[in-house]
């Protein structure tokens, strides 16, 4: 099933009446499994959190209109808020949780290409995906990283289990892949583990080809596409910016990129491995798509001695630019209308487009003439697109061989030991960057305290001003009212200046993170800020009310 059949607009749901039950609780074995996972931190394995008798995550019947009290079931009005229902079922702990950075994803290590292509999200739809994800009750910020090797959704969640459930259901809604199947292939990481994973991705350590450069450019695109999008918030934005910095450091300070290959160059190497040595220089080559991947394929082919190739693309501009760059190569442009005619004349066909539907299907390939070769050479389809451009059943056609991105491991295994040594060098840099980001992330925890303290002072100021004005009568001139207001505001600002300065984390005062956090906890105790509605509770209430308005 291609991504084209799904709709992002249909991916958002109203969770104000979603059925989710807190009465379910995970088994002891389940918690042991989670503990063992985080102890070993082997994140490339799909996780199973619940036994078969439990659902994917705890449920809370948000639409329920009855409650058990003193052993009897009593009816409750439908206007009872979901938040109050959560509180009746041990939500005290829930509202005290701090926001978590999480990644829910499928990659080349956990899911085959036939699953990844269904869940992949085209780059043009990343902003809309962020907006839809952040409309979910427990998702505050989000980002999408979707490439040929991975689909990873990074979120700032107000509650871990509920966040996982909502994002997984959204992915299922968007892709058409059942939740049960997604859970078989997904991986989940939280907080520091999620940070380290993204930094390793940006550094090229989690790629099929160690140190490949294209993934760093794709991480940069996440930040570029997220600019100005509601939901691509401060923490997620800082996470990706720091990942870019890490990726650059690893490539600058180590030699991890030297001699490494990209997916495109690995595809060219695979083609050369499959072609008879004496015919590789004479092979007739067709490249479908002249985007980033296609351009790299053409470059690597030219470097390997292939001087004549046909390139099919929607427009000729990109092909002309490549032709100017590679003056020694004979590059012929053809429009998509001549796809099958060009394929009939080709021995090797590379497909690397963003098409959501297959370009080559079994019936069309069967109609192509056999490869004209006395050495028994077969027609090779090297498909490095996700979603795939070549239908899997094409491999059943006599004289045709089909390879996709998951088949490139044969090329990548070369010089494995050397790459492992380079990886160890990179991991030292990544550990430093993770530590720095975690300190930055912790320092942002003072922001809610700053907001709560200012709101606390504002409530007192406003109440006292109203009390003063009511005693002075109704005939007070407007300029006098303004003077009283300005006076009260000035007093509050001067009183708050000292505490606020001790909560700032901009480095201007040279305070350590531990000092700043200690000040935060002290102010929370002194002014009783923790006894008020928690920030998370406020956010959840606002989300639920917003969704209820949209559904009414």
């Amino acid at each position: 099933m291609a991504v084209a059949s799904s709709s992002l607009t249909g991916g958002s749901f109203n969770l104000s009446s979603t059925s989710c039950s807190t009465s379910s609780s995970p088994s002891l074995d389940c918690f042991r499994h989670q503990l063992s996972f985080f102890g070993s931190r082997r994140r490339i394995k799909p996780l199973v959190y619940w036994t078969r008798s439990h659902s994917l995550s705890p449920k809370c019947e948000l639409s329920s209109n009855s409650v058990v009290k003193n052993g009897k079931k009593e009816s409750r009005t439908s206007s009872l808020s979901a938040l109050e229902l959560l509180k009746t079922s041990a939500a005290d702990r829930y509202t005290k949780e701090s926001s978590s950075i999480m990644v829910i994803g499928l990659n080349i290590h956990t899911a085959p290409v036939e699953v990844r292509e269904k869940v992949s999200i085209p780059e043009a739809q990343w902003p809309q995906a962020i907006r839809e994800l952040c409309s979910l009750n427990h998702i505050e910020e989000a980002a999408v990283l979707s490439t040929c090797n991975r689909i990873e959704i990074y979120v700032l969640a107000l509650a871990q289990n509920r966040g996982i459930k909502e994002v997984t259901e959204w992915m299922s809604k968007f892709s058409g892949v059942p939740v049960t199947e997604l859970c078989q292939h997904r991986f989940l990481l939280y907080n520091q583990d999620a940070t380290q994973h993204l930094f390793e991705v940006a550094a090229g350590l989690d790629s099929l080809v160690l140190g490949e450069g294209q993934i760093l450019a794709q991480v940069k695109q996440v930040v570029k596409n997220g600019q100005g999008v509601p939901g691509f918030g401060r923490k997620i934005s800082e996470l990706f910016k720091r990942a870019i910095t890490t990726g650059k450091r690893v490539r600058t300070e180590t030699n991890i990129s030297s001699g490494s290959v990209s997916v495109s160059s690995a595809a060219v190497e695979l083609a050369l491995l499959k072609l008879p040595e004496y015919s590789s220089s004479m092979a007739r080559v067709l490249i479908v798509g002249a985007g980033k991947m296609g351009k790299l394929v053409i470059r690597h082919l030219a470097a390997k001695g292939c001087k004549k190739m046909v390139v099919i693309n929607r427009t000729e501009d990109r092909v002309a630019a490549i032709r100017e760059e590679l003056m020694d190569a004979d590059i012929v442009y053809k429009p998509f209308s001549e796809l099958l005619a060009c394929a009939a004349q080709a021995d090797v066909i590379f497909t690397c487009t963003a098409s959501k539907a297959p370009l080559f299907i079994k019936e069309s390939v069967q109609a192509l003439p056999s490869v004209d070769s006395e050495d028994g050479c077969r027609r090779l389809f090297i498909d490095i697109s996700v979603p795939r451009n070549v239908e899997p059943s094409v491999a059943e056609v006599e004289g045709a061989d089909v390879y996709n991105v998951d088949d490139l491991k044969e090329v990548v295994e070369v010089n494995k030991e050397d790459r492992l040594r380079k990886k160890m060098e990179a991991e030292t840099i990544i550990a430093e960057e993770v530590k720095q980001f975690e300190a930055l992330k912790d320092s942002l925890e003072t922001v809610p305290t700053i907001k709560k303290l200012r709101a606390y002072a504002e409530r007192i100021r406003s109440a006292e001003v109203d009390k003063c004005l009511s005693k002075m009568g109704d005939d007070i001139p407007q300029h006098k009212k303004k003077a009283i207001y300005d006076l009260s505001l000035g007093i509050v600002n001067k009183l708050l200046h000292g505490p606020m300065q001790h909560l700032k984390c901009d480095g201007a005062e040279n305070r350590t993170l531990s000092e700043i956090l200690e000040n935060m906890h002290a102010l929370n105790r002194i002014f009783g800020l923790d006894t008020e509605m928690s920030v998370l509770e406020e956010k959840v209430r606002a989300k639920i009310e917003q969704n209820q308005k949209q559904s009414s």
Side-chain angles (χ1 to χ4, degrees):
M1 173 180 175
V3 174
S5 62
S6 58
S7 168
L8 267 173
T9 305
S12 56
F13 8 106
N14 168 29
L15 293 179
S16 60
S17 60
T18 302
S19 173
C20 21
S21 149
T22 48
S23 59
S24 305
S25 59
S27 66
L28 183 59
D29 288 341
C30 182
F31 282 112
R32 285 173 179 161
H33 175 78
Q34 295 183 50
L35 288 172
S36 65
F37 168 77
F38 285 108
S40 60
R41 201 183 167 275
R42 295 315 311 156
R43 61 187 180 286
I44 62 173
K45 297 179 181 177
L47 306 181
V48 178
Y49 283 89
W50 309 96
T51 58
R52 289 187 179 181
S53 60
H54 294 92
S55 60
L56 176 64
S57 60
K59 294 184 178 178
C60 44
E61 296 295 340
L62 301 182
S63 57
S64 171
N65 55 7
S66 63
V67 66
V68 176
K69 187 175 182 182
N70 297 328
K72 297 181 180 180
K73 193 172 184 179
E74 298 180 358
S75 106
R76 305 191 75 167
T77 63
S78 59
S79 63
L80 186 62
S81 78
L83 194 62
E84 288 169 327
L85 279 172
L86 286 171
K87 283 189 170 183
T88 64
S89 53
D92 243 4
R93 176 182 60 80
Y94 164 75
T95 56
K96 298 299 181 186
E97 289 185 35
S98 60
S99 299
S100 298
I101 289 179
M102 306 190 307
V103 55
I104 299 108
L106 297 87
N107 63 22
I108 197 166
H109 307 297
T110 68
V113 65
E114 53 265 28
V115 176
R116 300 199 311 273
E117 67 184 358
K118 295 176 185 176
V119 190
S120 67
I121 303 174
E123 187 179 322
Q125 295 180 353
W126 291 359
Q128 178 64 20
I130 292 172
R131 285 189 284 267
E132 292 189 10
L133 287 163
C134 291
S135 73
L136 305 176
N137 281 349
H138 298 88
I139 304 304
E140 189 175 6
E141 300 179 17
V144 175
L145 175 61
S146 184
T147 73
C148 60
N149 285 337
R150 69 190 69 250
I151 164 63
E152 298 177 357
I153 294 178
Y154 292 80
V155 296
L156 184 67
L158 301 176
Q160 284 187 0
N161 287 338
R162 292 173 179 85
I164 293 167
K165 180 178 185 293
E166 290 175 359
V167 174
T168 304
E169 288 179 343
W170 181 89
M171 292 173 74
S172 176
K173 183 87 171 181
F174 167 73
S175 65
V177 177
V179 168
T180 52
E181 187 176 352
L182 287 176
C183 293
Q184 290 173 8
H185 297 289
R186 74 178 181 185
F187 66 88
L188 306 171
L189 291 169
Y190 308 101
N191 296 317
Q192 187 168 331
D193 287 333
T195 299
Q196 180 160 338
H197 172 74
L198 179 58
F199 288 9
E200 289 176 353
V201 168
L205 269 61
D206 195 66
S207 299
L208 176 65
V209 181
L210 187 72
E212 61 120 340
Q214 193 172 4
I215 185 61
L216 181 58
Q218 291 162 336
V219 173
K220 290 178 181 178
Q221 283 300 112
V222 174
V223 176
K224 183 179 178 181
N225 281 279
Q227 297 303 315
V229 178
F232 190 70
R234 184 173 181 183
K235 284 188 178 179
I236 291 293
S237 173
E238 288 294 337
L239 173 66
F240 273 82
K241 288 176 182 176
R242 181 67 69 169
I244 294 168
T245 300
T246 304
K248 289 178 178 178
R249 272 197 66 192
V250 167
R251 287 168 173 80
T252 302
E253 299 177 26
T254 74
N255 62 348
I256 195 168
S257 296
S258 63
S260 66
V261 290
S262 64
V263 170
S264 300
S265 64
V268 172
E269 293 290 345
L270 180 63
L272 295 176
L273 282 173
K274 300 304 177 183
L275 284 169
E277 185 177 350
Y278 51 85
S279 68
S280 59
S281 60
M282 302 297 294
R284 299 168 297 176
V285 178
L286 172 65
I287 301 98
V288 185
K292 294 175 183 176
M293 300 284 278
K295 184 177 181 179
L296 288 172
V297 167
I298 296 167
R299 282 179 177 172
H300 290 299
L301 283 168
K304 291 293 182 180
C306 179
K307 299 303 180 183
K308 186 172 183 178
M309 56 194 96
V310 176
V311 180
I312 288 181
N313 198 51
R314 283 181 302 168
T315 61
E316 191 174 359
D317 295 348
R318 287 184 175 179
V319 180
I322 298 171
R323 191 187 293 126
E324 288 182 12
E325 180 185 333
L326 304 172
M327 301 293 290
D328 294 338
D330 182 7
I331 301 173
V332 178
Y333 164 76
K334 294 290 183 180
F336 263 96
S337 58
E338 297 186 32
L339 176 65
L340 293 180
C342 292
Q345 301 297 319
D347 303 313
V348 184
I349 301 170
F350 293 91
T351 57
C352 32
T353 79
S355 174
K356 297 168 186 174
L359 301 178
F360 292 98
I361 61 175
K362 183 177 180 180
E363 291 74 14
S364 63
V365 175
Q366 279 178 328
L368 298 179
S370 301
V371 174
D372 185 14
S373 176
E374 296 179 358
D375 53 28
C377 186
R378 300 162 65 83
R379 180 175 282 114
L380 302 182
F381 289 86
I382 313 290
D383 185 5
I384 54 174
S385 303
V386 176
R388 287 171 291 178
N389 289 170
V390 181
E391 194 177 61
S393 58
V394 169
E396 300 169 8
V397 177
E398 186 178 354
D401 289 331
V402 179
Y403 300 93
N404 59 51
V405 287
D406 287 1
D407 297 316
L408 301 180
K409 294 175 184 177
E410 182 179 349
V411 176
V412 176
E413 285 300 310
V414 181
N415 299 325
K416 188 174 182 179
E417 289 185 9
D418 181 50
R419 284 199 295 274
L420 287 175
R421 284 194 296 271
K422 295 175 182 177
K423 183 177 181 180
M424 291 176 66
E425 296 174 17
E427 284 174 342
T428 303
I429 295 172
I430 289 172
E432 293 174 9
E433 292 291 342
V434 168
K435 186 176 180 181
Q436 289 181 29
F437 175 77
E438 289 300 310
L440 171 64
K441 187 182 71 171
D442 289 342
S443 71
L444 294 177
E445 296 301 323
T446 64
V447 173
T449 297
I450 291 173
K451 290 180 178 178
K452 286 191 289 183
L453 181 57
R454 187 164 285 282
Y456 172 81
E458 174 59 23
R459 284 195 295 273
I460 295 174
R461 185 203 64 77
S462 179
E464 292 303 315
V465 167
D466 289 345
K467 191 187 299 183
C468 172
L469 293 175
S470 65
K471 290 179 180 178
M472 296 176 70
D474 297 330
D475 56 347
I476 311 170
Q478 189 64 34
H479 72 277
K480 289 189 176 181
K481 286 184 179 180
K482 185 177 185 304
I484 294 170
Y485 173 84
D486 290 343
L487 173 66
S488 66
L489 195 61
I491 292 171
V492 168
N493 285 338
K494 282 182 169 57
L495 286 173
L496 289 181
H497 178 73
M500 293 298 186
Q501 286 297 110
H502 283 77
L503 289 180
K504 283 188 176 178
C505 1
D506 54 10
E509 302 293 331
N510 293 321
R511 293 189 183 90
T512 65
L513 175 64
S514 59
E515 288 175 326
I516 293 169
L517 295 179
E518 187 177 336
N519 294 337
M520 178 188 77
H521 295 310
L523 285 169
N524 279 330
R525 289 193 304 272
I526 291 169
F527 290 98
L529 302 179
D530 283 336
T531 62
E532 300 178 3
M533 181 186 289
S534 72
V535 174
L536 292 183
E537 186 176 335
E538 290 176 357
K539 289 175 180 176
V540 173
R541 184 186 294 279
K543 287 260 187 180
I544 292 172
E545 289 175 353
Q546 179 184 359
N547 287 335
Q548 286 174 338
K549 287 178 182 178
Q550 290 175 350
S551 62
S552 60

